[in-house]
Amino acid sequence: MNNHFERTGPLTELTSYPQWAQDLVAACEPARRRVRDHLMWDLMGTGRIDHATMRNFMVGTWSLIERFPSFMAQNLLKTQYGRSAGDNLARRWLVRNIRVEQNHAEYWLDWAEGAGVAREEVLKGRPPRGTQAAAEWCHEVCGRDTLAAGIAATNYAIEGVTGDWSQKVYDSVAYAQGLPQAGRKATLRWLQLHAAYDDTHPWEALEIVCTLMGNHPAPEEVAHLQECIERSYVSLHYGLERCLVQEVAEQVEEQAA
Ligand SMILES: [Fe+2]
């Protein structure tokens, strides 16, 4: 049985990957769906999002955006050129893509500003409780776990589902029209980049994970990857819920007053 995985099929087709990876993606789908189908994107997409929720989202997600290249750097530290095909692939890809991430923090601040959340607020404002779980989890898994687990949790899981929801919001005419005309293009830049660019990025991450793991990894290793990927989705979902909870809590207070 040949354990070495080398992709021959198209990058963006699940059937190009080993059966264990196809099963893994399917097993993680319910957790991913809870992020992809979150109310937050409907609120943005239909132009119904209120300022408090948008502020919570922008401030609460900031650390994940800002620290994302560092998570990739934590993974880069684990690679060693020449050790394996997976190491070589991961090293080349991480070096290249850390650079790609360079401007994304700035684009996030542009999005926030266009959406009415001042950059000072994003940089210094207090994030809602519970919204830092995803960034803390990424730091933990990239710092302490294997290269495959770190890449699966961040570049596959986080970026993958981010591509899903960015596409939804970016495609919404109502959202774009609700933004001030001046600077609209800059405001939408982050969304535009993540909707398109993340199209292939998470697939590339999956290819790296499969190259590192081979065709026949031990079931417990696959179970661990599943746990890591699901934890990324769950922490994102929890953070989104917390952004909304604050809003509901405030409304309840207003109604009671
Ligand atoms: Fe990015």
Side-chain angles (χ1 to χ4, degrees):
M1 233 171 0
N2 181 15
N3 192 43
H4 181 70
F5 168 74
E6 197 177 336
R7 182 175 59 81
T8 48
L11 176 75
T12 58
E13 273 176 32
L14 197 52
T15 49
S16 301
Y17 299 90
Q19 189 59 49
W20 68 263
Q22 297 184 33
D23 296 342
L24 175 65
V25 169
C28 296
E29 178 57 20
R32 180 174 178 145
R33 196 182 305 129
R34 279 196 289 277
V35 180
R36 186 201 299 131
D37 295 346
H38 198 271
L39 175 64
M40 184 68 80
W41 324 129
D42 292 333
L43 291 175
M44 285 185 197
T46 54
R48 286 180 296 133
I49 192 157
D50 63 283
H51 182 262
T53 305
M54 198 64 189
R55 182 262 172 217
N56 284 341
F57 174 72
M58 284 297 172
V59 178
T61 315
W62 168 244
S63 67
L64 184 64
I65 306 297
E66 192 275 326
R67 294 171 69 188
F68 210 78
S70 344
F71 304 142
M72 293 164 78
Q74 284 179 294
N75 285 322
L76 178 61
L77 287 174
K78 300 175 202 165
T79 67
Q80 190 187 325
Y81 193 74
R83 184 163 53 190
S84 72
D87 269 66
N88 293 356
L89 194 61
R91 184 177 179 276
R92 190 170 346 115
W93 188 83
L94 285 165
V95 168
R96 198 180 67 222
N97 285 294
I98 288 171
R99 194 169 183 277
V100 172
E101 288 290 327
Q102 170 63 26
N103 294 323
H104 293 184
E106 194 57 39
Y107 297 154
W108 184 268
L109 296 174
D110 289 343
W111 181 18
E113 202 141 47
V117 185
R119 48 193 298 142
E120 274 303 291
E121 179 65 10
V122 179
L123 294 173
K124 297 186 185 150
R126 200 157 101 195
R129 203 174 297 151
T131 53
Q132 304 306 291
E136 281 159 15
W137 160 240
C138 289
H139 179 68
E140 184 187 326
V141 69
C142 295
R144 298 208 203 134
D145 214 311
T146 61
L147 179 57
I151 291 183
T154 53
N155 298 110
Y156 169 72
I158 304 262
E159 285 202 273
V161 77
T162 297
D164 294 345
W165 69 253
S166 297
Q167 187 79 56
K168 267 191 183 181
V169 181
Y170 185 70
D171 283 347
S172 157
V173 176
Y175 184 69
Q177 283 178 345
L179 296 168
Q181 181 90 53
R184 191 180 285 174
K185 206 162 176 260
T187 301
L188 292 169
R189 187 82 202 266
W190 189 94
L191 282 170
Q192 181 189 16
L193 278 176
H194 287 84
Y197 143 89
D198 278 336
D199 232 2
T200 57
H201 218 195
W203 288 105
E204 289 161 7
L206 183 63
E207 181 182 19
I208 293 170
V209 170
C210 291
T211 309
L212 286 164
M213 302 288 287
N215 282 323
H216 306 285
E220 59 270 22
E221 286 177 39
V222 179
H224 180 63
L225 279 187
Q226 180 176 339
E227 197 185 316
C228 291
I229 292 168
E230 286 180 333
R231 218 167 140 179
S232 291
Y233 296 143
V234 167
S235 58
L236 283 176
H237 179 258
Y238 182 68
L240 291 168
E241 290 288 290
R242 297 303 304 178
C243 291
L244 297 179
V245 162
Q246 305 265 323
E247 178 216 8
V248 172
E250 273 171 18
Q251 280 178 357
V252 171
E253 272 169 36
E254 273 170 31
Q255 279 163 7

